[in-house]
Amino acid sequence: MGLTVGGIAELVLTAVLFGIGWPIPAVVFLVGAVILLAGAALFANTTLRGKFQVWDEELGRLGLKGDEHALDLGCGRGLVLFKAAGRLPAGRATGVDLWTKDQSGNSMDAAWANARAEGVADRVELVTGDMRDLPFDDASFDLVVSSLAVHNIPDDEGRAAAVREAFRVLRPGGMLRLADFRHSRRYAEVLGECGAADVQVYDLGWRFWYGGPQGRTAMVACRRP
């Protein structure tokens, strides 16, 4: 909304400046308006369509058999959690969150409503918990995923603790996919220290840009030996 309002305001200024005969500053504001409105369009695409497409592709490449147990760290209203659950007809998908307001409308009730709407409520479990100290035993999950959640932890040690916890609850042979637009290289470093195999960091492309390339999202991927 901020990008859109800013772009419209700059378009109005552009018209005013052209009207009073100041073409050079008018062109400057016009360029600014185009950049802001393009950023708004990219942001909206990511929010409404792009991130859904990207996660569908990422989950599709994992070769899930359908009986795995998956965990979503910071599941929020359930985008990734329910996509994973849809691929696990004989499995389970657990979402953990503190249900803070980092995401609009974030609540356990909203997540349950979405689970029912997606037809996966029978294979989903929602847990209130801190990803820095997960309430699960070691080696409990075949797949751990997270989307734009770990960066909300304000300090480096807290984020590192969350990544270590994600690895701790992975079963041998289990896979981790952690998408974020900050600190990705640090997450990979922590996973390497934990002994993870096949650690990768790769860009998820323009469909996961929040306003432009400055807000691009990367995926951190690994496997537990």
Side-chain angles (χ1 to χ4, degrees), residues 44-105:
N45 179 73
T46 294
T47 300
L48 300 174
R49 184 172 61 180
K51 64 183 179 182
F52 295 83
Q53 296 171 333
V54 170
W55 271 109
D56 274 332
E57 292 168 7
E58 290 291 324
L59 294 170
R61 283 195 288 267
L62 295 179
L64 298 173
K65 299 189 298 293
D67 60 354
E68 292 88 352
H69 195 172
L71 172 67
D72 184 1
L73 301 178
C75 64
R77 298 191 304 265
L79 163 65
V80 184
L81 177 65
F82 305 145
K83 284 190 174 297
R87 295 174 180 271
L88 303 174
R92 296 286 295 171
T94 299
V96 61
D97 205 301
L98 288 173
W99 317 108
T100 60
K101 298 307 177 184
D102 297 310
Q103 182 185 46
S104 61

Side-chain angles (χ1 to χ4, degrees), residues 3 15 41 64 80 131 146 161-162 164 170-171 187 218:
L3 290 167
L64 298 173
V80 184
M131 68 179 80
S146 182
R164 285 192 288 267
L170 266 183
R171 291 172 179 152
Y187 303 157

Side-chain angles (χ1 to χ4, degrees), residues 2-224:
L3 290 167
T4 302
V5 171
I8 292 171
E10 292 207 2
L11 282 178
V12 171
L13 280 171
T14 297
V16 170
L17 291 169
F18 272 123
I20 63 176
W22 291 4
I24 294 177
V27 170
V28 172
F29 277 104
L30 177 60
V31 171
V34 170
I35 291 172
L36 288 174
L37 292 173
L42 284 167
F43 202 113
N45 179 73
T46 294
T47 300
L48 300 174
R49 184 172 61 180
K51 64 183 179 182
F52 295 83
Q53 296 171 333
V54 170
W55 271 109
D56 274 332
E57 292 168 7
E58 290 291 324
L59 294 170
R61 283 195 288 267
L62 295 179
L64 298 173
K65 299 189 298 293
D67 60 354
E68 292 88 352
H69 195 172
L71 172 67
D72 184 1
L73 301 178
C75 64
R77 298 191 304 265
L79 163 65
V80 184
L81 177 65
F82 305 145
K83 284 190 174 297
R87 295 174 180 271
L88 303 174
R92 296 286 295 171
T94 299
V96 61
D97 205 301
L98 288 173
W99 317 108
T100 60
K101 298 307 177 184
D102 297 310
Q103 182 185 46
S104 61
N106 189 28
S107 70
M108 185 180 286
D109 287 343
W112 275 124
N114 288 338
R116 290 189 289 271
E118 293 294 324
V120 295
D122 62 330
R123 69 193 79 156
V124 165
E125 178 184 12
L126 297 178
V127 176
T128 299
D130 191 324
M131 68 179 80
R132 293 167 292 189
D133 185 19
L134 292 172
F136 308 114
D137 293 335
D138 294 355
S140 298
F141 298 93
D142 303 290
L143 172 66
V144 175
V145 296
S146 182
S147 188
L148 306 178
V150 178
H151 76 270
N152 289 315
I153 300 172
D155 59 287
D156 178 72
E157 181 48 42
R159 292 188 294 271
V163 174
R164 285 192 288 267
E165 281 289 275
F167 189 76
R168 176 184 68 80
V169 299
L170 266 183
R171 291 172 179 152
M175 298 171 288
L176 181 145
R177 295 294 184 272
L178 194 165
D180 217 332
F181 50 65
R182 299 176 191 155
H183 316 298
S184 300
R185 294 291 175 185
R186 175 60 176 149
Y187 303 157
E189 179 182 307
V190 173
L191 289 167
E193 293 168 357
C194 291
D198 304 327
V199 180
Q200 302 176 62
V201 179
Y202 51 91
D203 190 272
L204 291 175
W206 69 271
R207 291 177 300 170
F208 226 131
W209 284 3
Y210 283 93
Q214 76 283 354
R216 62 185 180 271
T217 305
M219 181 67 80
V220 182
C222 75
R223 175 178 58 83
R224 180 158 190 163

